[in-house]
């Protein structure tokens, strides 16, 4: 496995020019004659959550609007990261081309699958899973380094061709996966080497998934050190940088979904109840959480167990790091999804989370005047 370490702050910002031809893109891409007419105008008002920007590219040959290429950074955040799928689908639906991508944890998984051309296959699979199958794909272990091996679900994805056997440098677009080396106290950025290893290392949530040994390091979740890797995505001339934050401390509104029949709703509720009962058993077994249902009914105050405290602490830490990152690297568009959209293991909410990603992306593009007119 070869690892590539990129320097902080090494991104290439959007270049706007009114009288020069765009430089040829790297990797042999041909240049196109474009003229950038007006410049980006960001709203720096105090308290503004989303940058206001205007950027239009015009093809001088036909004098028609042309969408800029997108450098996309995807955050960590467990099952909420299924919203990344919706964001990407919305970008493509609005005519944007993603020219490069970087991600941490679930962001590395979705980003890697997109770069490999299998993201939609994964989306169809995770949406159609029988909800109890989620637990059948979890291989629990009593090891001290984590209570889920993670091999079972990844082997299933490999068997289905969702994670192909491919090297990162052979993907359709440049891709970077972030991991944290706790043995050597450093960030590891995979920009070449085996795609499976890069993704598996990046999703290794501390104390949940077992770490990955690689090149003398012990690798865990990339979200520990860089939850939203906007500084690791490869930049091209005249692209725009879009960051997707799925740990935002904002209210959550459920997206509009196709209405289900009463029978479907009853069946889904029964399955969800079964899932939560099973998950509570797992938490009690591995984390000694207080989930006594009789006691919970008598005491309205919710008690936080080990896992609840751990995940909430991680979320708060990631939010603070993310805010610092966004202030430092100043992306052109920020897509924000509430941390309340789902928990780390809410993969049974795939349809809802993907729809939430589409809605949040459309809203962010509209606010930046980059969406459909």
């Amino acid at each position: 496995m070869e690892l590539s370490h990129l320097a902080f702050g090494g991104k290439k910002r959007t270049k706007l020019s009114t009288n020069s031809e765009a430089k040829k893109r790297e990797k042999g891409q041909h240049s196109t004659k474009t003229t950038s007419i007006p410049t980006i105008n960001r709203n720096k008002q105090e308290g503004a959550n989303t940058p206001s920007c205007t950027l239009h590219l015009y093809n001088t040959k036909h004098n028609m609007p042309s969408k800029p290429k997108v450098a996309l950074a995807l955050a960590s955040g467990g099952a909420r990261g299924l919203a990344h799928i919706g964001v990407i689908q919305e970008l493509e639906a609005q005519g944007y081309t993603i020219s490069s991508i970087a991600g941490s944890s679930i962001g590395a998984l979705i980003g890697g699958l997109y770069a490999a051309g299998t993201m939609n296959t994964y989306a169809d699979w995770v949406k159609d899973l029988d909800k109890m199958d989620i637990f059948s794909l979890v291989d629990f272990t009593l090891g001290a380094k984590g209570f889920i091996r993670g091999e079972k679900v990844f082997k299933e994805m490999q068997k289905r061709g969702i994670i192909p056997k491919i090297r990162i440098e052979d993907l359709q677009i440049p891709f970077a996966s972030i991991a944290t080396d706790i043995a050597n106290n450093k960030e590891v950025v995979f920009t070449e080497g085996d795609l499976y290893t890069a993704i598996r290392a990046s999703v290794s949530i501390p104390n949940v998934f077992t770490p990955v040994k690689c090149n003398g390091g012990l690798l865990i979740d990339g979200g520990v050190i860089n939850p939203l890797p906007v500084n690791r995505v490869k930049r091209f001339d005249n692209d725009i940088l879009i960051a997707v934050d799925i740990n935002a401390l904002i209210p959550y509104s459920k997206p509009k979904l196709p209405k289900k029949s009463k029978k479907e709703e009853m069946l889904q509720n029964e399955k969800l109840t079964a899932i939560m009962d099973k998950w509570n058993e797992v938490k009690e077994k591995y984390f000694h959480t207080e989930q006594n249902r009789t006691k919970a009914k008598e005491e309205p105050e919710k008690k936080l167990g080990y896992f609840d405290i751990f995940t909430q602490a991680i979320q708060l830490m990631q939010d603070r790091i993310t805010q610092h990152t966004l202030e430092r690297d100043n992306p052109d568009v920020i897509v924000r999804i509430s941390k309340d959209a789902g928990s780390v293991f809410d993969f049974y909410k795939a349809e809802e989370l993907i729809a939430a990603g589409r809605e949040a992306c459309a809203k962010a593009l509209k606010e930046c005047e980059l969406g459909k007119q």
Side-chain angles (χ1 to χ4, degrees), residues 46-276:
E46 187 177 353
N49 289 325
T50 307
S52 175
C53 49
T54 304
L55 182 149
H56 298 291
L57 297 182
Y58 284 84
N59 186 304
T60 53
K61 183 176 180 180
H62 301 289
N63 196 31
M64 294 289 289
S66 176
K67 299 279 188 179
K69 299 282 178 103
V70 171
L72 187 63
L74 304 178
S76 60
R80 285 191 304 280
L82 294 174
H84 291 319
I85 297 173
V87 170
I88 292 171
Q89 290 176 344
E90 183 63 23
L91 285 171
E92 290 190 327
Q94 294 207 27
Y96 289 93
T97 299
I98 297 170
S99 55
S100 56
I101 198 163
S104 284
S105 196
I106 186 69
L109 173 63
I110 303 303
L113 298 185
Y114 177 78
T118 60
M119 184 194 75
N120 288 328
T121 302
Y122 170 75
D124 292 339
W125 176 63
V126 75
K127 283 192 295 184
D128 290 341
L129 273 177
D130 181 274
K131 305 306 185 289
M132 288 306 293
D133 283 348
I134 294 172
F135 280 95
S136 72
L137 291 170
V138 177
D139 43 357
F140 295 104
T141 177
L142 292 173
K145 295 178 181 178
F147 72 92
I148 298 175
R149 292 189 192 92
E151 306 306 324
K152 201 171 182 181
V153 64
F154 277 97
K155 282 182 179 178
E156 182 66 22
M157 287 194 285
Q158 286 181 308
K159 185 175 77 173
R160 293 173 175 271
I162 293 172
I163 302 181
K165 189 173 180 58
I166 190 172
R167 294 181 65 82
I168 294 173
E169 56 267 39
D170 296 327
L171 294 171
Q172 298 172 7
I173 58 173
F175 167 66
S177 173
I178 315 303
T180 304
D181 185 351
I182 55 173
N184 299 296
N185 303 312
K186 65 181 182 180
E187 178 182 12
V188 174
V189 181
F190 291 88
T191 57
E192 54 187 27
D194 181 51
L195 176 65
Y196 170 84
T197 303
I199 292 174
R200 176 62 182 84
S202 189
V203 302
S204 300
I205 303 171
N207 289 336
V208 179
F209 286 100
T210 53
V212 172
K213 293 181 180 179
C214 183
N215 284 7
L218 191 62
L219 307 185
I220 63 170
D221 197 302
V224 170
I225 198 166
N226 194 352
L228 184 51
V230 294
N231 62 323
R232 300 308 192 190
V233 62
K234 187 176 181 66
R235 301 302 304 275
F236 293 101
D237 289 345
N238 297 321
D239 66 6
I240 59 172
L241 177 60
I242 296 181
V244 186
D245 176 14
I246 57 174
N247 300 296
L249 301 179
I250 58 175
Y252 176 62
S253 306
K254 284 189 176 183
K256 295 178 181 178
L257 295 172
K259 195 169 183 179
K260 292 182 170 67
S261 67
K262 288 186 177 181
K263 185 177 180 180
E264 287 176 319
E265 286 182 356
M266 286 178 63
L267 182 61
Q268 184 180 43
N269 289 336
E270 288 175 3
K271 289 181 176 179
L272 293 184
T273 300
I275 288 172
M276 295 314 298

